[in-house]
Amino acid sequence: MENVFPQASGSQAEALIFRYVPRPGLLKLCIINFLLGLVTFGFYRFWARTNVRRHIWSCTHINGEPLEYTGTGWELFMGFIMVMLFFGLPVAVVYAIIALSQGPESPLLVMLQGIVAFIIYVLWGFAIYRARRYQLSRTQWRGIRGTLVGSAAIYSLLYFGSIMAKGMSLGWATPVMNTVLKEHITNDMRFGDAAFKFRGPAGPLYVPYAICWVLTLVVAVVAMVLIGGFVGSHKDWFDMGSTASESQTAKAAIAIVLLVFAGLLLFSAFTTMLWSVYISAEYRTFAKYTRFDGAPFRLDVSTGSVIWLTLGNLLLALLTLGIAWPFIQQRTVRFVVDRLALEGLVDIDRIRQSTATLDRRGEGLADAFDVGGL
Amino acid sequence: MQIDAIYFDGETARDRPVRLTRMGGNLQIEEDSLPPTSWSIGGLHAIDTPAPGQPFRLTHVSKPGARLVIRDEAFVKDLLAQNKALHGGYGWRHVGQVLGWTAGGIGALMLAGYIALSVLPQQVANLLPQSWRTKAGEQFVQSLVGDSNRCDTPAGRSAMAAMVGTLAEGRPDMPPISVEVYNLPIVNAFAVPGGRIIMTRELLKTADEPSEIAGVLAHELGHVALKHPEAQMVRVAGLEVLMGALGGGSSTMKNAAGLAALLRYSREAESEADAYARETLVAASVDPIGFKHFFEKIQKLEGGSNANSKDGKQSSLSKIGNLFSTHPGTEERIQKIEPLPAGKTPVPVLDAAEWAALKSICGG
């Protein structure tokens, strides 16, 4: 690769090695965050999230130098306050005025709820983009921070379009739309003045997608036939007519509830595992299409590892009633960092600081909508 | 002592080997190609809490973008001794800060809650136009009585009008009201926004004297005159706004607090309406003992349990104007009802024919 920035000192390209080096202290953070969350009625969550990010970032090493998270709880809190002031409060006031003038059971209230839901859908992508930009701009490595340089509004439209396209195509637009979204946000991504590039077709993703989609359908149909057959062969259970005694009716009700519950549990367990095939393919493919300073990434994610990640996180969340969320985030970050490699050399020394202005507040919308992520 | 360290200037990603020397209260940073810089030790900030075996990362107030990475543990120890703030981590100060902010936040919320639930609703209720109140009243009646029939006979209606007229003798400033009876199998009476009072068939059936119903009517009149249903409606709306503005937090906790607040105000409204009823009955020379008896009768009938809620889980809205909300204090409410003052003779509320017509307004 040609060096376009002549350097006085003899800088040279080097490989990047990603490593997650755990540090003690996350358990203590967990407990403190939980306790302070209780006494502050949940308002400590902005500071809790910040502490956990700072910890996880500092465990993520690239060439021996850790990432640094420079965001503050106050920034997240102010983001939340702004969203409440300009979104939550106006909606509540309009709601109250309609309830008072049109009565508490006016159909206008249902309409308002519909409009709010629509606005949330439209702004969902905006929230994701702004949250990502905030996190990147608060992430430093070797004193250089990242950012997103594009427009959150355009991403928002794209995201809304992708939701519509996925829905209308019964999901079949998913690989294309996900690739387009990834391409858009990755091409906006910078580390200092060095750019990330994403270029690649969605075609290869269609093989795993088709497998998952068709198998899901088959399993759903089989499950329905099985349940239908069961109901058919135990007609007397479900006969609520005059001959049915009270105990029979109760037995049937319990049987139906158990059956539906077990069926749903089995079905969701199966589909979670099945769709890990597609998710792991997306991980691998998207990493391959992403280049930093011309060098492509490689992410060695297998289907089994995605299942283990999802299952482990689910168990952690269930067994600790969600208190262990910092460990879930650590597992998720570690999952990627441990499997990530850059296939090529980068001239790190010539990367300069980003000149993009910093957001003063953080990810209020993302918090309000709970878009997920870290 | 002089040690080697790594320096990032925050402008490029290049790692620059530097030599560090502590000179009194200053840290001297020397690099081959550049003139030495000096950082005051008091202005240093630790990026992470220092931990054994981990490189110590520092920045300085004069150059917040720059990072200094020190691996020499003896040197770090020396720096930590010079500037205690570098130890970082959680301290009692941190906990104190959180608790202080929390206390302040709770205080501010309580103030906002007081304004939204205590000060504003009555004021706003007085400002609501009649058309809004009527519309809301229609919807409340709809949700309270469902599809049960309205009881209406010409004779029953004129009997009710006569009763209202008797009470109006004591209340020249009485607001316009309409009293409706519905064919409901529960003992209850409600006042809804817009000046409508709803009574049930079972309520009329339970009463033995016209003065008992007159007492109930006077109580509901109090709700109407004091705009309690409207105020409660505004209060619920205000609570929604408050909850909306609060956003996150535990929703169960918020709902419980909201319901507690609403119940508190509905209790207050009940005792205000009681006072209004006592005054009205005395002023109109209607024997308040009928009201008292009816209260006691209901208490005995229900065995102290709350039989007002149709299905045991009424919405907070339908608690508006609920006559016999049982809660500690019912005994006290009964005690407060006193007979007519000496020298006042009770007037008959309705004659026998009118009373019979009212009792049979739902037929039978």
Side-chain angles (χ1 to χ4, degrees):
Chain A
M1 160 123 202
E2 198 184 21
N3 193 345
V4 284
F5 300 96
Q7 289 281 321
S9 59
S11 65
Q12 48 185 278
E14 51 188 298
L16 295 187
I17 312 291
F18 303 92
R19 272 188 70 205
Y20 194 88
V21 187
R23 288 197 305 145
L26 198 57
L27 184 65
K28 193 173 142 198
L29 270 188
C30 239
I31 294 165
I32 289 173
N33 286 346
F34 172 68
L35 293 178
L36 287 180
L38 278 186
V39 297
T40 60
F41 299 94
F43 274 97
Y44 189 70
R45 66 179 182 280
F46 309 103
W47 288 269
R49 208 175 294 157
T50 299
N51 291 338
V52 169
R53 280 183 193 166
R54 191 172 295 143
H55 182 97
I56 293 175
W57 264 237
S58 74
C59 297
T60 306
H61 290 229
I62 306 174
N63 288 8
E65 184 66 19
L67 296 184
E68 182 190 328
Y69 183 74
T70 59
T72 64
W74 185 253
E75 288 165 353
L76 292 184
F77 178 63
M78 287 318 282
F80 161 80
I81 291 290
M82 284 299 156
V83 167
M84 284 309 142
L85 223 54
F86 292 106
F87 187 75
L89 197 61
V91 166
V93 168
V94 170
Y95 195 93
I97 289 173
I98 294 180
L100 288 183
S101 65
Q102 303 299 316
E105 277 161 47
S106 159
L108 275 179
L109 290 176
V110 181
M111 238 176 77
L112 180 70
Q113 280 170 342
I115 292 170
V116 169
F118 180 76
I119 293 175
I120 289 177
Y121 266 116
V122 171
L123 288 180
W124 199 269
F126 193 88
I128 292 176
Y129 194 94
R130 290 296 288 268
R132 175 73 75 85
R133 187 169 83 191
Y134 172 75
Q135 286 178 28
L136 280 171
S137 71
R138 296 302 189 272
T139 301
Q140 288 196 355
W141 180 65
R142 291 182 164 223
I144 303 294
R145 62 178 173 270
T147 191
L148 286 180
V149 294
S151 147
I154 290 174
Y155 186 79
S156 192
L157 284 178
L158 207 60
Y159 198 90
F160 184 66
S162 81
I163 297 174
M164 307 293 275
K166 285 178 191 176
M168 284 189 287
S169 65
L170 295 176
W172 283 97
T174 304
V176 172
M177 291 329 289
N178 284 2
T179 306
V180 169
L181 286 172
K182 194 80 185 171
E183 178 174 348
H184 191 91
I185 207 161
T186 307
N187 284 334
D188 284 350
M189 220 166 110
R190 303 283 183 275
F191 170 69
D193 62 354
F196 289 80
K197 289 269 176 262
F198 184 100
R199 187 106 202 98
L205 285 175
Y206 269 96
V207 177
Y209 190 83
I211 293 172
C212 294
W213 198 95
V214 171
L215 276 179
T216 304
L217 189 70
V218 168
V219 169
V221 168
V222 167
M224 278 200 251
V225 167
L226 280 180
I227 291 177
F230 181 82
V231 172
S233 62
H234 294 79
K235 260 211 168 70
D236 49 324
W237 282 29
F238 302 95
D239 182 16
M240 313 276 191
S242 52
T243 56
S245 69
E246 212 160 278
S247 69
Q248 260 177 323
T249 319
K251 204 168 85 177
I254 292 171
I256 290 172
V257 168
L258 282 181
L259 214 66
V260 168
F261 189 73
L264 278 178
L265 202 71
L266 267 176
F267 186 72
S268 56
F270 176 78
T271 46
T272 306
M273 296 215 256
L274 178 61
W275 282 92
S276 296
V277 173
Y278 174 71
I279 292 168
S280 60
E282 241 191 32
Y283 267 122
R284 287 189 302 267
T285 315
F286 286 169
K288 201 168 76 186
Y289 294 161
T290 305
R291 287 165 182 270
F292 177 63
D293 215 31
F297 284 92
R298 198 186 73 229
L299 193 57
D300 296 319
V301 168
S302 64
T303 302
S305 64
V306 171
I307 293 175
W308 175 236
L309 174 75
T310 319
L311 224 66
N313 285 353
L314 193 72
L315 278 177
L316 257 178
L318 287 178
L319 294 179
T320 66
L321 301 175
I323 295 170
W325 61 268
F327 285 95
I328 293 175
Q329 297 200 337
Q330 174 168 263
R331 281 192 84 216
T332 309
V333 170
R334 190 172 188 174
F335 174 81
V336 172
V337 172
D338 282 350
R339 290 166 176 77
L340 188 66
L342 189 71
E343 309 255 79
L345 305 176
V346 175
D347 185 0
I348 299 162
D349 289 358
R350 63 142 232 271
I351 296 171
R352 284 158 206 279
Q353 185 59 287
S354 159
T355 51
T357 47
L358 286 174
D359 298 310
R360 290 212 308 280
R361 291 173 293 274
E363 47 186 69
L365 272 182
D367 173 68
F369 298 167
D370 198 11
V371 295
L374 296 185
Chain B
M1 108 172 137
Q2 192 177 58
I3 59 143
D4 288 327
I6 301 287
Y7 179 77
F8 298 104
D9 63 5
E11 283 150 30
T12 73
R14 196 154 73 86
D15 51 342
R16 289 148 57 167
V18 291
R19 288 180 304 280
L20 288 188
T21 328
R22 185 169 78 78
M23 302 175 90
N26 285 312
L27 201 59
Q28 182 102 338
I29 307 170
E30 285 174 80
E31 195 182 350
D32 289 338
S33 52
L34 293 168
T37 31
S38 183
W39 281 2
S40 63
I41 287 174
L44 290 176
H45 274 290
I47 301 297
D48 292 315
T49 46
Q54 303 265 359
F56 190 43
R57 310 168 58 75
L58 285 165
T59 187
H60 191 257
V61 279
S62 67
K63 210 162 189 302
R67 295 290 181 268
L68 195 58
V69 185
I70 308 172
R71 286 178 188 274
D72 189 302
E73 297 205 1
F75 195 85
V76 170
K77 214 172 185 176
D78 179 47
L79 279 183
L80 290 176
Q82 302 287 321
N83 183 348
K84 296 274 186 262
L86 292 177
H87 283 282
Y90 288 97
W92 288 111
R93 228 181 107 219
H94 183 86
V95 174
Q97 234 173 19
V98 171
L99 294 181
W101 276 99
T102 305
I106 290 174
L109 276 180
M110 277 170 71
L111 184 69
Y114 177 73
I115 291 171
L117 300 177
S118 230
V119 181
L120 281 179
Q122 203 62 56
Q123 312 288 337
V124 176
N126 292 334
L127 292 174
L128 290 182
Q130 180 62 35
S131 64
W132 292 20
R133 298 167 52 208
T134 309
K135 209 176 278 176
E138 278 163 14
Q139 288 173 19
F140 276 120
V141 171
Q142 186 57 42
S143 73
L144 286 169
V145 305
D147 47 7
S148 58
N149 298 323
R150 181 169 171 195
C151 304
D152 203 6
T153 61
R157 189 192 293 204
S158 69
M160 188 59 92
M163 189 180 276
V164 172
T166 307
L167 291 179
E169 299 279 321
R171 283 280 176 191
D173 58 340
M174 198 174 90
I177 54 158
S178 76
V179 186
E180 298 156 27
V181 180
Y182 282 85
N183 193 359
L184 284 167
I186 49 161
V187 182
N188 217 337
F190 324 90
V192 300
R196 281 168 82 182
I197 292 170
I198 310 298
M199 289 187 181
T200 64
R201 181 197 73 201
E202 207 62 20
L203 181 94
L204 293 180
K205 210 176 133 189
T206 311
D208 297 311
E209 296 281 334
S211 63
E212 296 177 16
I213 296 300
V216 172
L217 187 60
H219 173 92
E220 297 306 327
L221 248 169
H223 284 312
V224 172
L226 300 169
K227 294 223 171 74
H228 285 153
E230 285 87 350
Q232 188 77 335
M233 186 169 81
V234 175
R235 197 167 284 128
V236 170
L239 205 63
E240 294 273 346
V241 173
L242 218 58
M243 303 272 188
L246 268 183
S250 156
S251 57
T252 341
M253 238 142 109
K254 279 195 317 192
N255 288 341
L259 197 63
L262 288 180
L263 284 177
R264 190 184 97 93
Y265 289 106
S266 82
R267 268 201 292 281
E268 223 172 81
E270 290 314 314
S271 67
E272 277 176 29
D274 279 351
Y276 185 98
R278 292 194 305 267
E279 280 170 34
T280 307
L281 292 173
V282 170
S285 302
V286 175
D287 195 355
I289 293 306
F291 187 31
K292 189 168 191 160
H293 281 165
F294 193 68
F295 238 139
E296 287 165 348
K297 201 184 295 179
I298 296 303
Q299 209 187 20
K300 213 171 285 170
L301 258 181
E302 315 298 7
S305 74
N306 189 352
N308 298 314
S309 38
K310 267 179 279 181
D311 48 5
K313 40 179 182 181
Q314 275 179 316
S315 77
S316 47
L317 277 176
S318 63
K319 291 225 161 63
I320 292 168
N322 207 335
L323 177 58
F324 308 109
S325 322
T326 15
H327 43 69
T330 309
E331 208 50 57
E332 203 186 312
R333 287 173 68 186
I334 295 176
Q335 292 300 315
K336 276 191 180 162
I337 305 172
E338 286 166 1
L340 281 181
K344 245 187 176 171
T345 40
V347 296
V349 182
L350 297 177
D351 62 33
E354 283 173 325
W355 179 233
L358 186 58
K359 288 277 277 185
S360 60
I361 194 170
C362 287

